[in-house]
């Protein structure tokens, strides 16, 4: 029983909200009121984690309780998570603020993969502490993250179209499933769309922050996201980085969520393991 569980490769959404999260402070819109009444509908900063056995690879670090979620040293309990590395999509505050306290750890080094960004976030580059920011990734760089008797997992860095250097990540488990995590982007380049179509991705988690009438520079609205879903033709699409304005719009217009596209939720888990 324990061995079978160790072989599982899971991708779990820790947060699916926009920078303002959900509910928004002092907002009376129907989406915010609904989330106050039902904690299952809360949306935290957009982030996720990849679990390979007990090893955890965090995707973005906007959550402020990382020390509590991933204590070090890890427990002897085989189910206790062991944080191995962090993959940053980019360095806006809602995706990186959790690093500010995590850096003050001791007696270890924690790799942080991410885009080439000369600025970073706050003073993290100047005072990195245990965080190792030397792992800069170039667009379309592909490398093997894990290759052992349990799984072979490959990562491809995908350039996104945001207001500062930003990467999405294609996660492929050999002879199993593939997932693309594409948060904080306005559209996708033809090269990224072609690669996703070629790889026949199982799950696409796609930025969709706003309702159709909002045309933001760095984020998709619903029309943008639905057009991308039709062009990529993956097996399943889930929208993330969701603003309360989009959620309120869909409460009133649920029929606008078409083509089998779904809203992602905090805590949603995708099993990428071989059948």
């Amino acid at each position: 029983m324990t061995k079978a569980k160790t072989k599982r490769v899971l991708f779990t959404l820790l947060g699916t909200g926009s920078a303002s999260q959900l509910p928004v402070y002092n907002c009376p819109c129907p989406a915010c009121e609904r989330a106050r009444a039902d904690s299952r509908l809360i949306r935290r900063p957009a982030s996720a984690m990849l679990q390979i056995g007990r090893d955890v690879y965090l995707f973005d670090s906007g959550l402020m309780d990382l020390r509590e979620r991933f204590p070090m040293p890890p427990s002897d309990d085989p189910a206790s998570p062991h944080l191995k590395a962090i993959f940053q999509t980019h360095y806006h505050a809602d995706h990186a603020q959790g690093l500010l306290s995590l850096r003050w750890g001791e007696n270890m080094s924690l790799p942080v993969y991410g885009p080439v960004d000369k600025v970073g976030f706050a003073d993290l580059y100047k005072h990195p502490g245990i965080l190792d920011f030397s792992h800069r990734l170039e667009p379309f760089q592909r490398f093997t993250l894990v290759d052992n008797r349990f799984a072979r997992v490959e990562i491809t860095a995908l350039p996104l179209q945001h207001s500062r250097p930003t990467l999405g990540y294609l996660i492929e488990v050999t002879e199993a499933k593939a997932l693309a995590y594409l948060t904080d982007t306005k559209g996708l380049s033809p090269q990224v769309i072609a690669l996703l179509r070629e790889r026949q991705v199982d799950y696409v988690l796609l930025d969709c922050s706003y309702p159709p009438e909002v045309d933001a520079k760095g984020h998709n609205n619903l029309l943008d996201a639905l057009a991308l879903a039709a062009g990529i033709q993956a097996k399943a699409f889930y929208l993330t980085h969701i603003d309360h304005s989009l959620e309120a719009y869909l409460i009133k217009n649920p029929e606008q969520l078409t083509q089998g596209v779904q809203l992602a939720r905090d805590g949603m888990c995708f099993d990428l393991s071989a059948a």
Side-chain angles (χ1 to χ4, degrees), residues 96-265:
Q97 58 197 1
L99 296 176
L100 291 174
S101 60
L102 196 63
R103 63 177 163 178
W104 301 122
E106 296 184 357
N107 304 314
M108 63 175 294
S109 178
L110 186 62
V112 181
Y113 295 82
V116 177
D117 186 327
K118 295 181 180 179
V119 177
F121 173 61
D123 65 345
L124 282 171
Y125 284 177
K126 186 177 180 180
H127 301 290
I130 66 170
L131 304 175
D132 179 3
F133 291 104
S134 66
H135 305 273
R136 310 289 176 85
L137 299 175
E138 297 293 337
F140 298 106
Q141 183 174 338
R142 180 181 174 91
F143 64 97
T144 299
L145 180 65
V146 171
D147 187 3
N148 57 31
R149 64 193 181 98
F150 298 125
R152 178 181 173 87
V153 180
E154 294 186 314
I155 304 286
T156 303
L158 302 177
L160 300 184
Q161 300 174 161
H162 196 44
S163 57
R164 65 185 303 174
T166 303
L167 295 173
Y169 294 99
L170 174 61
I171 302 164
E172 297 174 280
V173 182
T174 302
E175 298 182 356
K177 295 180 180 179
L179 178 147
Y181 187 64
L182 311 171
T183 186
D184 287 57
T185 190
K186 175 71 167 181
L188 295 170
S189 71
Q191 296 89 341
V192 169
I193 292 175
L195 186 148
L196 295 174
R197 289 176 62 108
E198 174 190 335
R199 300 287 173 82
Q200 299 181 335
V201 177
D202 294 274
Y203 306 111
V204 172
L205 295 150
L206 180 63
D207 177 289
C208 183
S209 295
Y210 300 115
E213 67 272 15
V214 178
D215 187 18
K217 183 178 180 180
H219 295 281
N220 293 322
N221 65 24
L222 183 59
L223 297 180
D224 297 326
L226 294 178
L228 287 170
I232 297 172
Q233 298 179 352
K235 295 178 182 177
F237 286 86
Y238 296 84
L239 306 182
T240 190
H241 206 278
I242 295 165
D243 189 75
H244 69 131
S245 60
L246 174 62
E247 188 115 46
Y249 172 83
L250 289 172
I251 289 173
K252 296 179 180 179
N253 304 278
E255 75 283 355
Q256 297 301 311
L257 201 59
T258 61
Q259 305 173 28
V261 179
Q262 305 177 50
L263 293 185
R265 293 287 177 195

